[in-house]
Amino acid sequence: MEIDFEKMGGLVPAIIQDNITRKVLMLGFMNKEAYDKTVETGKVTFWSRTRKCLWTKGETSGNFLNVRDIKLDCDGDTLLIKVKPEGPVCHTGSDTCWGEENSVDLNFLSYLQDFIDKRHREMPEGSYTTSLFKSGVNRMAQKVGEEAVETVIEATNGTDDRLIYEASDLIYHLIVLLTSKGHRFEELASELVKRHKE
């Protein structure tokens, strides 16, 4: 990764994003030493412009930012760091430095789709998702049907908790089936947008 630290006098902005919710959590700055320490430890480390020293987020609060992925922008001078945060990110106690709640929303479905795509590419042994792909499209389609029936049963004669549980199984197995056929869940959203009339 060729990072251009010189453009801003030795620093680059580092946008910190939750790996699952995709919410932007904060913005910090890194010099080469901070970047190298981040890569080495797996915990986000910044260069503090006020204290003029390295600062690992969470070293005093315990609210570390655990690195999941690092991307460099097209100009080579800005980092996007995807993390799993431990606790609130802002010093005010807020989830983000903009006072937003970092809760799971529909973006999680894109994350789940990416995860299932990765399973499909790598097919790791011992994974339930791998076993579904290996079982073939007929078995995957059958699982979608089974989960749909269980969802209907819970909706008509069950509890709300069980309805949510079975409906979640249905969505997961549907994404697996779509993936096996070379499609993504987002294509369903595109189709629904086409059908939507304001």
Side-chain angles (χ1 to χ4, degrees), residues 44-59:
V44 174
T45 298
F46 297 108
W47 173 258
S48 172
R49 294 172 297 163
T50 52
R51 295 185 307 225
K52 307 292 186 207
C53 64
L54 292 182
W55 162 57
T56 299
K57 178 77 175 91
E59 62 192 0

Side-chain angles (χ1 to χ4, degrees), residues 13 85 94 97 121 163 179:
S94 175
C97 289
R121 284 191 313 274
L163 171 61
T179 302

Side-chain angles (χ1 to χ4, degrees), residues 2-161:
E2 291 292 322
I3 304 170
D4 185 355
F5 288 103
E6 298 311 309
K7 195 179 285 186
M8 290 182 57
L11 298 177
V12 294
I15 300 163
I16 309 301
Q17 180 184 45
D18 189 295
N19 188 47
I20 293 179
T21 67
R22 311 290 171 98
K23 183 78 75 178
V24 174
L25 304 175
M26 68 175 291
L27 172 70
F29 290 86
M30 289 183 174
N31 61 8
K32 185 171 186 325
E33 190 181 358
Y35 172 78
D36 289 343
K37 186 172 181 186
T38 296
V39 171
E40 178 189 333
T41 64
K43 297 192 183 305
V44 174
T45 298
F46 297 108
W47 173 258
S48 172
R49 294 172 297 163
T50 52
R51 295 185 307 225
K52 307 292 186 207
C53 64
L54 292 182
W55 162 57
T56 299
K57 178 77 175 91
E59 62 192 0
T60 54
S61 66
N63 298 331
F64 292 101
L65 298 171
N66 300 298
V67 176
R68 293 296 179 261
D69 188 37
I70 300 177
K71 294 190 183 311
L72 184 63
D73 79 333
C74 57
D75 292 325
D77 60 4
T78 302
L79 295 168
L80 174 63
I81 304 179
K82 297 182 181 181
V83 302
K84 180 180 181 185
E86 295 181 26
V89 171
C90 186
H91 70 280
T92 64
S94 175
D95 286 351
T96 80
C97 289
W98 291 271
E100 297 177 310
E101 185 179 333
N102 184 28
S103 58
V104 176
D105 60 16
L106 290 177
N107 286 326
F108 176 74
L109 293 176
S110 289
Y111 170 84
L112 180 60
Q113 175 74 73
D114 291 343
F115 181 84
I116 290 171
D117 282 347
K118 188 170 187 278
R119 282 286 195 258
H120 193 229
R121 284 191 313 274
E122 297 175 358
M123 299 290 272
E125 289 300 322
S127 158
Y128 175 68
T129 307
T130 297
S131 71
L132 286 171
F133 286 127
K134 287 183 174 179
S135 71
V137 71
N138 288 346
R139 177 63 183 139
M140 285 182 274
Q142 182 183 2
K143 282 297 293 179
V144 171
E146 289 171 7
E147 299 301 341
V149 169
E150 289 173 11
T151 300
V152 169
I153 290 169
E154 292 301 330
T156 55
N157 293 306
T159 65
D160 287 347
D161 286 347

